[in-house]
Amino acid sequence: MASANSLREKLEKISPSEKTEQVIVQYFANPLLYELGFDDLEIRPQFETGCGKVDFAARKNTEATDIFYNSQKNPYLFLEVKSRTYDLSEGSSTYEEAVDQVKGYLSRERSKSAKWGIITNASYIQIWRKHGKVVHPATANLSINPDNIETIVRDLRNKLENYERALTICVYNNKGGVGKTTTVINLAAALAAKGKRVLAVDFDSQGDLTRSFGLSPGEITLTQCLKDPKIDVHSIIQSLSYPINNRFPYIFDSTLDISFDIIPRDPELETLTDSQSLAYIQKGTR
Ligand SMILES: Nc1ncnc2c1ncn2[C@@H]1O[C@H](COP(=O)(O)OP(=O)(O)OP(=O)(O)O)[C@@H](O)[C@H]1O
Ligand SMILES: [Mg+2]
């Protein structure tokens, strides 16, 4: 990929302690936007979000009459650029500030159409995704260098062009009896009643969620599916449907049954140690 190599070459030219944001803009941020598939008329520098100016906003031009550079309407992606001396390592207070900044940009009325926020200082890069009112990390905060930039940019572009529309909500707490299972059941039912497609996954070794619906795993289990990348995840999903107890007609207008999908817990799951589970994930199976 010749063009990504040129991004690599540009990255090589930036000093590890580059203090000037403008250098990062010119040698990294602008070429990065080109690599992510935007051209000059699809990129607007210093875009006013209603919560301050973000370094770049971008959006594909779909009609000849609506050129984003001119109209500045319906931004799709924001890119916030920092100098290399601005610490973007995770946990630093400056990283937290930059994250808050991008969340702020994405949450304004003027940015309603914006789905993505990227933060970079040419040493780190992280992309955030907005889903409704929730802004969540779509990648880890990735450390970048000339050797990995090509792969990272390819993955980012892939994410932008084929983004997953599902929002994953994890209900987790080490303390017992605090309402985790109850939350999952009610959240799944409420979202389903509002017309969302919901998949509940029982990763709890106790399997209360699975038991509360009187389910047991089918022929293929969650553990087998996690271990074997050839198993199609659809083969372990079960569908539930039950009449709605509509005590909240002002919230749910549905008179239909509530339906959502569930992946039941299976007893073998707890035999997987943390390191084994991690190994399966690192192998890229799931
Ligand atoms: N908002 C609530 N108000 C009152 N009682 C609740 C509430 N949420 C849950 N409970 C009750 O608290 C108890 C524990 O709830 P639940 O089983 O959901 O917790 P849990 O965190 O999943 O527990 P465990 O750690 O055993 O998996 C249950 O009896 C449940 O009915
Ligand atoms: Mg529970």
Side-chain angles (χ1 to χ4, degrees):
M1 212 161 104
S3 46
N5 280 341
S6 78
L7 189 58
R8 175 197 176 110
E9 283 159 18
K10 289 192 162 84
L11 202 56
E12 276 167 349
K13 286 189 190 139
I14 304 174
S15 150
S17 54
E18 180 54 58
K19 291 194 194 92
T20 322
E21 194 181 296
Q22 192 49 36
V23 171
I24 310 295
V25 164
Q26 189 179 339
Y27 283 91
F28 185 66
N30 233 327
L32 171 70
L33 285 170
Y34 297 146
E35 290 303 329
L36 293 177
F38 300 98
D39 67 31
D40 282 330
L41 291 178
E42 296 170 335
I43 300 169
R44 183 80 204 188
Q46 294 300 306
F47 179 88
E48 180 55 64
T49 61
C51 182
K53 284 184 179 168
V54 64
D55 292 299
F56 291 99
R59 188 251 290 156
K60 299 295 284 176
N61 291 328
T62 47
E63 290 169 39
T65 50
D66 181 17
I67 303 299
F68 179 62
Y69 182 85
N70 298 327
S71 75
Q72 298 188 51
K73 287 208 178 103
N74 302 322
Y76 180 63
L77 172 143
F78 293 147
L79 174 60
E80 178 61 27
V81 185
K82 301 292 183 195
S83 70
R84 271 196 162 156
T85 45
Y86 186 105
D87 184 6
L88 278 186
S89 61
E90 205 146 338
S92 68
S93 59
T94 38
Y95 166 77
E96 300 296 339
E97 271 171 31
V99 171
D100 285 347
Q101 205 177 350
V102 167
K103 284 185 176 174
Y105 294 152
L106 284 168
S107 61
R108 306 312 278 206
E109 187 58 29
R110 184 147 195 247
S111 317
K112 213 171 176 181
S113 56
K115 294 276 181 268
W116 300 94
I118 298 178
I119 306 169
T120 189
N121 64 353
S123 297
Y124 286 94
I125 194 164
Q126 185 168 30
I127 187 161
W128 293 71
R129 165 118 175 98
K130 185 172 72 179
H131 196 108
K133 290 184 180 162
V134 182
V135 179
H136 61 93
T139 61
N141 185 22
L142 305 165
S143 170
I144 50 182
N145 58 55
D147 291 333
N148 68 11
I149 190 63
E150 191 180 339
T151 315
I152 287 177
V153 170
R154 198 176 46 229
D155 289 351
L156 287 184
R157 184 166 177 163
N158 200 25
K159 249 183 210 310
L160 290 177
E161 290 174 357
N162 310 293
Y163 65 90
E164 297 157 13
R165 288 167 193 269
L167 177 68
T168 308
I169 302 171
C170 177
V171 180
Y172 170 85
N173 196 315
N174 259 342
K175 191 167 162 62
V178 292
K180 298 180 292 291
T181 304
T182 310
T183 302
V184 171
I185 293 173
N186 285 288
L187 199 53
L191 289 171
K194 291 207 101 173
K196 306 283 183 196
R197 291 179 65 207
V198 179
L199 171 67
V201 186
D202 192 354
F203 269 118
D204 182 6
S205 54
Q206 293 178 134
D208 289 341
L209 178 68
T210 301
R211 202 169 35 246
S212 64
F213 289 110
L215 298 175
S216 46
E219 269 179 37
I220 302 172
T221 65
L222 173 57
T223 314
Q224 287 165 341
C225 184
L226 283 170
K227 284 179 173 176
D228 184 350
K230 290 193 287 299
I231 295 176
D232 179 357
V233 72
H234 292 96
S235 62
I236 61 166
I237 295 176
Q238 299 186 22
S239 293
L240 281 170
S241 195
Y242 54 93
I244 189 166
N245 176 6
N246 198 355
R247 281 188 287 164
F248 308 103
Y250 44 91
I251 302 178
F252 307 126
D253 58 5
S254 170
T255 49
L256 302 170
D257 289 356
I258 288 186
S259 303
F260 62 88
D261 292 337
I262 182 163
I263 294 182
R265 165 261 186 191
D266 74 281
E268 203 197 336
L269 198 59
E270 61 203 279
T271 64
L272 295 180
T273 62
D274 287 350
S275 56
Q276 271 179 321
S277 318
L278 195 63
Y280 294 132
I281 291 163
Q282 282 171 345
K283 268 198 303 184
T285 54
R286 296 289 164 211

